[in-house]
Amino acid sequence: MMVVNCDTKSKMLHLVVVASIFCLQTASVFSEQQFSIDGKVLELDDSNFDSVISSFDYVFVDFYAPWCGHCKRLSPELDAAAPIVAGLKQPIVIAKVNADKFTRLASAYDIDGFPTLKIFMHGVAVDYYGPRKADLLVRYLKKFVATDVAILGSDSAISDFVEEAGTYFPMYIGFGLNESLISKLAIKYKKKAWFSVANDFSEDVMLRYDFDKVPALVSLRTSYTERSVFYGPFEEEFLEEFIKQNLLPLAVPINHDTLKILKDDDRKIVLTIIEDEAEEKSHKLIKLLKAAASANRDLIFGYVGVKQWEDFAYTFGVSDKTKLPKMLVWNGNEEYILVIDSESIDEEDQGSQISRFLEGYREGRTEVKSVSGPSLMGYINSLFGMRTVFIIVFLVAMLMMIRSIKDDDDEGVRIGTGDRVDDHAESSASERNEYRSGDKED
């Protein structure tokens, strides 16, 4: 039996501690070297995904498939954006995962289409529905690392804030408003809007943003030249209602991107279907819809041009013979509502016709119809669900092939020759290989 004195024990303990510290330092250095922020897009897989997500506060991840055309077009945009967001005060790492190969990761994050984009903030995944062009992507990602509420102390600071925020997100500026009143809501809606409070400003600013007393909360949507002012009561319930109502423009152009935003809003959608959004007569109608939306904040007013999105418009019973513009109320699911005798809008006195439509809707002079296509969520999922279609087609083809082989096996036994069965098996293998070479077409 070996006897160890106290000095020896102390020395051994000291060596263990030193070795442990050395291992931790070595692991830290190795991690930094392996996952350095060098402005390049990181390629993640099963072996390093969790380490990268835990190593950085902000990681933007593209779950892609090599055969996906949209993914191929997105790749150079990510390459261009990566060095810019890596150089921010709060750096963002851009990474990508071949989700078609690393299916465990795809399953863990419910990836059912490509590309699927997520932002990991302190390890927590958040869906990304923003723009994909490099310059707009950079603006959008800056939003996620910005302070929850910016404190503005001068006219120039207010101007800088508005310019830096850009045009993609709505902005809320609290003039003479205590930061604590909106900080909770600023955190809740950080992904969707910019928030700030201005403590010092001139009368010129009051004129510019069209408010005449303080405190006031001003919402801005510079891309739509829209502004709204809230004078209270400054309680959370009323503040949140004002914020929610101004997250969207007064008249929302319905497209793939706006549908993703609409899914988080529980208001019904007053949908106007027009021939072409670009026509001058459509612009005049959209101005009238904005006026109606301003007076009916419990509803969302949207519009879509048949020329811009024919398939979506035809979902609501529109055909080549339908008189346009057509108005209806959609609940975002499988049903929509027509107002009796107010379905179509003539070119004359459209403002009065919109008012009659809304009056008829609120009085219940309506009939319910079923959409002939997907619901709002169905349309969103259809943007990403082609992979599922290919999987179903592949499985059906395989089942038919197996059944065919079985039938021929039975026939081969009855005939009493083995050659026919072998020939068919070779043919089936050839057909199967031919199908698999094209089953992941974008």
Side-chain angles (χ1 to χ4, degrees), residues 72-92:
K72 293 176 183 177
R73 289 189 287 273
L74 176 61
S75 182
E77 302 295 337
L78 298 182
D79 290 336
I84 302 174
V85 296
L88 297 176
K89 186 176 180 181
Q90 286 280 357
I92 302 172

Side-chain angles (χ1 to χ4, degrees), residues 242-256:
F242 175 77
I243 290 170
K244 287 171 62 177
Q245 289 178 352
N246 288 277
L247 288 173
L248 293 165
L250 290 171
V252 184
I254 302 297
N255 52 48
H256 296 151

Side-chain angles (χ1 to χ4, degrees), residues 91-165:
I92 302 172
V93 174
I94 294 183
K96 58 183 179 181
V97 175
N98 183 345
D100 196 41
K101 178 179 180 181
F102 300 104
T103 55
R104 183 190 68 82
L105 289 173
S107 177
Y109 293 100
D110 298 323
I111 308 302
D112 63 354
F114 307 113
T116 294
L117 307 174
K118 293 180 181 289
I119 300 176
F120 289 80
M121 297 188 290
H122 304 286
V124 179
V126 176
D127 291 330
Y128 175 87
Y129 296 126
R132 299 180 180 184
K133 293 294 182 182
D135 56 340
L136 297 177
L137 174 64
V138 169
R139 278 188 178 274
Y140 200 102
L141 291 180
K142 284 181 179 179
K143 180 73 196 72
F144 285 84
V145 297
T147 56
D148 297 328
V149 181
I151 308 300
L152 312 176
S154 65
D155 289 6
S156 60
I158 295 170
S159 298
D160 291 343
F161 170 79
V162 173
E163 182 179 355
E164 178 66 21

Side-chain angles (χ1 to χ4, degrees), residues 277-290:
E277 297 174 14
E279 292 180 344
E280 181 62 30
K281 61 181 180 180
S282 297
H283 293 167
K284 294 179 180 179
L285 176 58
I286 291 168
K287 289 181 179 180
L288 295 173
L289 293 175
K290 288 182 178 182

Side-chain angles (χ1 to χ4, degrees), residues 31 34-35 45-56:
S31 176
Q34 187 177 6
F35 307 128
D45 54 36
D46 288 330
S47 67
N48 62 10
F49 184 89
D50 292 336
S51 298
V52 169
I53 297 304
S54 61
S55 296
F56 303 109

